[in-house]
Amino acid sequence: MFVYEKKLQFPVKIATPNPKLAAFIISQYGGPDGELGASMRYLSQRYAMPYAEAKGLLTDIGTEELSHLEMVAAIVHQLTRNLTDEQIKANPNFAAYFVDHTAGVYPTAASGFPWTAASIQSTGDVIADLTEDLAAEQKARKTYDNILRLSDDPDVNNVIRFLREREIVHYQRFGECLRNVQEKMDQKNVYLYNPAFDKARPANS
C-alpha cells in the first residue's frame, strides 16, 4: 500500500535550537489532537467503510498524516539538537521531558500526558467516524493556530503554516465525503441504518 519517498512533504530546516518551543510542538506528534492519532484513526476506520471513495479518502489522508508525523518529529529533533545543560535547565517544561526521553522524540502531549489510543475512535459506523474525522481536523488546526501564537521562529512557522493548511484541506474533503455517503443512504432520514454493518433496513423501519 505504501511507497516511502525519502524526503519530507515540506522541508524542515531550523537554524536555531529552542527547547521551549519543542515542548509545545511535541503535542502535534503525540498529543490528543496530533498527527499520530490522526494517522491511526483514519487508517483504522478505512476497513469498515462500505463505499470505495470513502475508503480511498481515509487511506490517502491517513497516509499523508504519517508524513506530517515525520515532519513534526523533524521539527522537534532540530529544535532540541546539541543542547547545553544550561539551555535545558532554563526551560522547565522541556527539562521534565528531558529527564524521561533526553532528546529523543516521544509521542506525548505538551501537558506531559503520553499518547494513548483512547484519544481516537473507530466505530465501524459511517456517520460517527466521518463526523469524528471532521472534528479531529478542526482540533488539529486549532492546535497549529495555538503554536503559531507562541512561536516567533520563522523557520518553524513556515512548516506549521503548511501543516495547518493541510488540516483545512482535509476538513473540506471529509465534509464532501460525509455529504456523499449521506446521499447514498436513506433520503427521508439521513441516518436510518448503518450500511457498514446492517445489510438491510431494520424490519420495523
Side-chain angles (χ1 to χ4, degrees), residues 131-147:
T131 301
E132 170 165 340
D133 300 343
L134 283 163
E137 295 297 328
Q138 280 290 83
K139 289 186 286 185
R141 189 268 311 152
K142 170 270 302 174
T143 304
Y144 284 127
D145 281 342
N146 290 343
I147 290 171

Side-chain angles (χ1 to χ4, degrees), residues 20-177:
K20 180 179 180 180
L21 191 52
F24 301 145
I25 291 174
I26 195 66
S27 230
Q28 275 304 90
Y29 190 77
D33 305 317
E35 304 293 357
L36 175 58
S39 60
M40 294 299 98
R41 176 188 294 109
Y42 306 150
L43 293 175
S44 298
Q45 289 176 352
R46 66 178 296 277
Y47 289 96
M49 281 289 154
Y51 307 120
E53 59 268 42
K55 183 175 294 186
L57 181 70
L58 284 163
T59 303
D60 290 347
I61 295 180
T63 304
E64 185 179 355
E65 301 291 14
L66 289 173
S67 73
H68 295 172
L69 183 69
E70 188 177 28
M71 290 169 62
V72 175
I75 296 171
V76 172
H77 170 69
Q78 292 183 28
L79 285 171
T80 57
R81 69 187 186 280
N82 302 323
L83 294 176
T84 66
D85 290 347
E86 289 70 27
Q87 287 174 305
I88 296 167
K89 292 174 182 176
N91 293 277
N93 287 344
F94 182 77
Y97 177 95
F98 178 85
V99 168
D100 291 329
H101 312 295
T102 322
V105 178
Y106 178 79
T108 183
S111 62
F113 194 81
W115 187 80
T116 168
S119 65
I120 67 170
Q121 181 58 282
S122 178
T123 68
D125 181 294
V126 180
I127 300 299
D129 284 351
L130 288 174
T131 301
E132 170 165 340
D133 300 343
L134 283 163
E137 295 297 328
Q138 280 290 83
K139 289 186 286 185
R141 189 268 311 152
K142 170 270 302 174
T143 304
Y144 284 127
D145 281 342
N146 290 343
I147 290 171
L148 288 169
R149 292 184 179 101
L150 296 170
S151 172
D152 58 1
D153 186 329
D155 294 337
V156 171
N157 292 353
N158 287 338
V159 185
I160 297 300
R161 288 192 185 97
F162 172 83
L163 292 167
R164 179 188 182 278
E165 289 169 4
R166 295 308 299 164
E167 307 298 348
I168 295 169
V169 171
H170 294 170
Y171 182 87
Q172 183 69 22
R173 298 291 86 82
F174 280 131
E176 294 166 356
C177 186

